[in-house]
Amino acid sequence: MEQLLRVQNFVVSRDGFGAGEGQSLERPFGHADPAELFAWAGATASWPRRTDPGGSRGLDDYFTRDFGRNIGAEIMGRNKFGPQRGPWQDHEWRGWWGDEPPFRTPVFVLTHHPRPSFTLSDTTFHFVDGDPASVLARAREAAAGKDVRLGGGATTIRAFLDADLVDTLHVAVSPVKLGAGVRLWESPDELRDRYHLDVVPSPSGVTHHVFWRR
Amino acid sequence: MEQLLRVQNFVVSRDGFGAGEGQSLERPFGHADPAELFAWAGATASWPRRTDPGGSRGLDDYFTRDFGRNIGAEIMGRNKFGPQRGPWQDHEWRGWWGDEPPFRTPVFVLTHHPRPSFTLSDTTFHFVDGDPASVLARAREAAAGKDVRLGGGATTIRAFLDADLVDTLHVAVSPVKLGAGVRLWESPDELRDRYHLDVVPSPSGVTHHVFWRR
């Protein structure tokens, strides 16, 4: 059974940035407003962090409900995990997601600085150093036959694209313009030589981009 | 936990027919060509009846791979199950799908004519008489907390819509014109008073229609 490496529900601004400048504890996406970038997802019935019943079950919900389907592990960059840089100083920091992170699988956090693994509810965070191929090999083993989600941020996705390890990508392009930040692409057309691309405008205002290998 | 009644991957012609005229053993869709109606689905990686590897992983694949997600039972009309009418004469007939039907749950076949249940691989067919609400109650119980799929055909979907029991519908409108047959609707706009509707054109030529309750 093929084990895919999948980018799911990654949001970029219309000028290609996955996050703004100046990430901090108070501003996980820097000068970008995550409420604005993720409004399309938060409105859906299947949004993992939804607290009230209801929500839309249209096109956007197909994307949010695919987030965990057949996923056995996630790989994320250190800056998705938190705002610290360099050696770990604050071991109390256990991610942005509280006591019940939405991943519900092993998560491999890329970092040059070692740190013990820990578990929150159904999610275990491991801290790993290595090139994309070797980290993917570890994540695949942990996924036990299921697919691996590449969680971002943009720099991490770029590294795995450069190593030609990504099988599918779903990127939601928001109408927001950021002007600066952490860039995924200048244009989605950059990936067309290696991937098929379906471009799907949603009534919510985002344009879903779905890539799969040629 | 809410148990939805969901129509998934139901295909109609652009003039609103779910099947043509003159169903027979040789022509399950009457004068309509199922290969033409289902070409968009058969091209995807997640099509349940796919035999070779490969297939597209774009927009259309989101719909085919949602077919079985969180489904615990299916309800289908007798004409989806087979071409016989009236009392069962040929008990050897066990559906169009061979020894491994793609449903993999209990399936409730609507009929006024009793027949013993039987099992093929992961699918058990039950033959039930009753109004839509009572059949749905049985299917919900069998689904054990999961959703119920309403499998069609068009007459069966109409009956459950008339009883206001359907929570979500995904209908793929094919560019094919049939002129006559078993009609789902004159226009998808007929459902707008009760449902939100996202209309999503696919590069494959079909237009996905996704409805959810207002």
Side-chain angles (χ1 to χ4, degrees):
Chain A
M1 194 64 186
E2 195 180 10
Q3 275 187 293
L4 304 177
L5 181 62
R6 297 159 41 193
V7 173
Q8 300 274 142
N9 299 349
F10 192 73
V11 184
V12 299
S13 64
R14 67 185 164 91
D15 49 351
F17 298 103
E21 286 183 313
Q23 187 192 44
S24 68
L25 195 56
E26 294 73 32
R27 305 282 308 181
F29 287 78
H31 78 284
D33 177 2
E36 197 172 33
L37 290 173
F38 289 90
W40 68 274
T44 65
S46 303
W47 177 238
R49 303 191 77 71
R50 152 160 238 109
T51 49
D52 54 328
S56 66
R57 298 184 187 274
L59 173 68
D60 292 339
D61 197 55
Y62 277 82
F63 292 97
T64 54
R65 72 194 185 216
D66 205 53
F67 179 77
R69 184 195 51 83
N70 197 43
I71 291 289
E74 164 150 336
I75 296 167
M76 67 171 66
R78 177 170 181 176
N79 296 1
K80 177 170 172 179
F81 177 74
Q84 295 183 66
R85 304 291 184 268
W88 297 97
Q89 317 227 325
D90 178 6
H91 279 260
E92 295 300 301
W93 177 260
R94 305 203 291 174
W96 309 97
W97 304 280
D99 291 338
E100 295 201 18
F103 310 108
R104 311 174 70 96
T105 65
V107 171
F108 294 85
V109 181
L110 302 170
T111 172
H112 301 306
H113 303 281
R115 176 174 166 169
S117 301
F118 65 86
T119 298
L120 287 173
S121 184
D122 301 330
T123 301
T124 298
F125 291 93
H126 303 289
F127 299 84
V128 296
D129 196 3
D131 62 285
S134 64
V135 172
L136 178 57
R138 282 190 62 177
R140 282 208 167 115
E141 190 177 347
K146 293 186 174 182
D147 293 342
V148 176
R149 186 174 48 234
L150 183 58
T155 305
T156 299
I157 295 174
R158 290 270 13 140
F160 282 78
L161 282 171
D162 291 347
D164 200 25
L165 295 171
V166 183
D167 296 300
T168 66
L169 301 92
H170 163 240
V171 180
V173 178
S174 156
V176 174
K177 189 172 180 180
L178 288 177
V182 190
R183 185 179 282 289
L184 178 65
W185 58 39
E186 294 282 345
S187 157
D189 292 336
E190 294 165 13
L191 300 179
R192 284 190 189 263
D193 59 336
R194 288 190 282 157
Y195 294 91
H196 300 278
L197 170 58
D198 280 353
V199 178
V200 187
S202 168
S204 63
V206 300
T207 303
H208 298 288
H209 287 63
V210 182
F211 301 86
W212 70 104
R213 277 190 197 275
R214 290 190 173 277
Chain B
M1 193 66 181
E2 195 180 8
Q3 276 188 291
L4 303 177
L5 181 62
R6 296 158 43 192
V7 173
Q8 298 274 142
N9 299 349
F10 192 73
V11 183
V12 299
S13 63
R14 67 186 163 90
D15 48 353
F17 298 103
E21 286 184 313
Q23 187 192 45
S24 68
L25 195 56
E26 294 73 32
R27 306 281 308 182
F29 287 78
H31 79 283
D33 177 3
E36 197 173 33
L37 290 173
F38 288 89
W40 69 274
T44 65
S46 303
W47 178 237
R49 305 190 76 72
R50 140 160 248 112
T51 49
D52 55 328
S56 65
R57 297 183 187 275
L59 173 67
D60 292 338
D61 199 55
Y62 277 82
F63 291 96
T64 54
R65 72 195 185 216
D66 204 53
F67 179 78
R69 184 193 53 81
N70 197 41
I71 291 289
E74 164 151 337
I75 296 168
M76 68 170 66
R78 178 169 180 177
N79 297 1
K80 176 170 171 179
F81 178 74
Q84 296 183 65
R85 304 291 184 267
W88 297 97
Q89 316 224 327
D90 178 6
H91 279 261
E92 295 301 299
W93 176 260
R94 304 203 293 173
W96 309 98
W97 304 279
D99 291 338
E100 296 202 18
F103 310 108
R104 311 174 71 98
T105 64
V107 172
F108 294 85
V109 180
L110 302 170
T111 171
H112 300 306
H113 302 282
R115 177 176 164 166
S117 302
F118 64 87
T119 299
L120 287 173
S121 184
D122 300 330
T123 301
T124 297
F125 290 93
H126 302 289
F127 298 85
V128 295
D129 196 2
D131 62 285
S134 65
V135 172
L136 177 57
R138 283 190 62 176
R140 282 209 167 115
E141 190 177 349
K146 294 187 174 181
D147 293 342
V148 176
R149 186 174 48 233
L150 183 58
T155 306
T156 299
I157 295 173
R158 289 272 12 144
F160 282 77
L161 283 171
D162 289 347
D164 200 26
L165 295 171
V166 183
D167 295 300
T168 67
L169 302 92
H170 162 240
V171 179
V173 178
S174 156
V176 174
K177 189 172 180 181
L178 288 178
V182 189
R183 186 180 283 289
L184 179 66
W185 57 40
E186 295 282 345
S187 158
D189 291 335
E190 294 164 14
L191 300 179
R192 282 189 190 263
D193 58 337
R194 287 190 282 157
Y195 295 92
H196 299 279
L197 170 59
D198 279 353
V199 178
V200 188
S202 168
S204 64
V206 299
T207 302
H208 298 288
H209 288 62
V210 182
F211 302 85
W212 70 104
R213 278 189 197 274
R214 290 190 174 277

